[in-house]
Amino acid sequence: MNSAYTEFAAVYDELMSDIPYDLYVELIDEAVHGLDGKKVLDVGCGTGLLSLMLTKAGAMVDGIDLSEEMLSVARKRASAHHQEITFKRQLMQEINEREIYDAAVIPIDALNYVTDPQEVFQTFKNIYHALKPNGHLLFDVHSTYKTDEIFMEGPFTFDNGRIAYIWETFEGEADHDVYSEIAFFVKQESGLYKRFDEAHHQRTMPVFAYVEMLEKAGFTIERIFADWEDEPPTEESERIFFQVRK
């Protein structure tokens, strides 16, 4: 059970404000030829921001996540916007629905928290069965360049006046494996800072390894691109996107 995203849930959206979730909405909308009335599974939904955006675009959305703290934020967000979204605490490798969804999405390197390759394959198989015929899966992962080179350039620091962190990274025992220890400092109304610590473990694989697993699970690869651009990955790409079809 991953201990990541506990108290972090309260500050997650602020720290992730530069993520272009609207582009993910566009990608899914294009893949399914219009979101209106389509059923979408948001895997690793976090605080539900993408789920809400997909719902407002006309989709019917279910979201799953491992963190109950994240899901609590997601439920409050949906309620505040008067949207009906079903959120459930579940491991992505334990999805067990059958031919329900027009599309599934695993956004913002959530798949990299599944660090056992066999469980990654199990996730693909389960999502394949959860999709309707011709249903689509879209997801992104860290590149091996990012885990092996960029992450190893730490420690990283951040301070916006309200939230600060010190993020240390360590090479794992497996290939393309990274451990992160992050100390957060969040300013309180009193002016004092509250500290909390997070531990994260992520692992990625080369593009060809994902392709082999996806095809073995039954998917057809439609396109692979990088860094939010409609361009093929390069040796220094950081985020790899996959769009595949059942």
Side-chain angles (χ1 to χ4, degrees):
M1 189 79 63
N2 200 300
S3 63
Y5 297 115
T6 52
E7 291 186 79
F8 186 36
V11 298
Y12 179 83
D13 289 336
E14 186 171 343
L15 292 174
M16 301 292 282
S17 60
D18 61 336
I19 296 293
Y21 287 100
D22 56 323
L23 291 181
Y24 243 122
V25 176
E26 292 177 14
L27 289 170
I28 301 167
D29 180 77
E30 180 182 335
V32 301
H33 306 294
L35 280 166
D36 194 36
K38 299 295 173 60
K39 186 79 171 174
V40 179
L41 179 63
D42 187 359
V43 181
C45 62
T47 61
L49 182 57
L50 179 58
S51 294
L52 179 65
M53 294 174 70
L54 289 167
T55 301
K56 287 188 172 183
M60 297 175 288
V61 181
D62 293 338
I64 67 168
D65 201 275
L66 178 58
S67 168
E68 188 56 51
E69 290 81 4
M70 288 290 210
L71 291 171
S72 177
V73 175
R75 293 185 185 106
K76 290 176 182 176
R77 165 172 274 132
S79 178
H81 288 266
H82 308 289
Q83 299 292 333
E84 292 187 11
I85 306 173
T86 299
F87 292 109
K88 180 170 65 173
R89 186 171 187 265
Q90 185 180 44
L91 290 166
M92 65 178 75
Q93 56 268 43
E94 294 180 358
I95 294 168
N96 57 11
E97 284 80 3
R98 290 292 181 270
E99 296 194 358
I100 293 177
Y101 299 101
D102 298 286
V105 57
I106 318 175
I108 319 305
D109 54 83
L111 184 62
N112 291 135
Y113 283 94
V114 181
T115 56
D116 181 341
Q118 184 56 41
E119 292 189 347
V120 174
F121 176 60
Q122 188 64 48
T123 298
F124 291 154
K125 285 205 304 182
N126 291 350
I127 290 177
Y128 181 89
H129 292 306
L131 291 171
K132 298 175 183 177
N134 294 311
H136 283 80
L137 166 64
L138 292 99
F139 68 94
D140 69 83
V141 292
H142 294 311
S143 68
T144 56
Y145 171 73
K146 188 171 185 179
T147 57
D148 300 354
E149 302 291 338
I150 294 179
F151 277 145
M152 294 303 109
E153 295 174 358
F156 307 99
T157 60
F158 172 85
D159 186 353
N160 68 2
R162 193 184 86 82
I163 302 169
Y165 65 67
I166 302 171
W167 174 10
E168 297 187 88
T169 54
F170 309 92
E171 184 177 354
E173 295 181 2
D175 292 338
H176 321 304
D177 200 26
V178 61
Y179 288 87
S180 298
E181 294 179 359
I182 314 171
F184 288 93
F185 304 87
V186 181
K187 194 172 186 178
Q188 308 297 297
E189 290 184 3
S190 65
L192 298 176
Y193 283 79
K194 178 183 178 182
R195 173 177 174 163
F196 64 90
D197 295 89
E198 289 278 328
H200 294 249
H201 178 204
Q202 290 187 291
R203 184 182 181 188
T204 198
M205 297 183 294
V207 170
F208 74 83
Y210 286 109
V211 169
E212 287 180 357
M213 285 188 180
L214 288 162
E215 291 181 338
K216 185 177 178 182
F219 285 107
T220 298
I221 310 296
E222 290 195 331
R223 62 173 176 154
I224 300 171
F225 54 104
D227 296 333
W228 305 101
E229 302 289 341
D230 191 16
E231 298 290 341
T234 68
E235 289 184 357
E236 294 187 356
S237 297
E238 297 183 26
R239 188 179 296 274
I240 313 299
F241 290 78
F242 295 79
Q243 178 179 315
V244 301
R245 177 174 48 82
K246 179 174 179 176

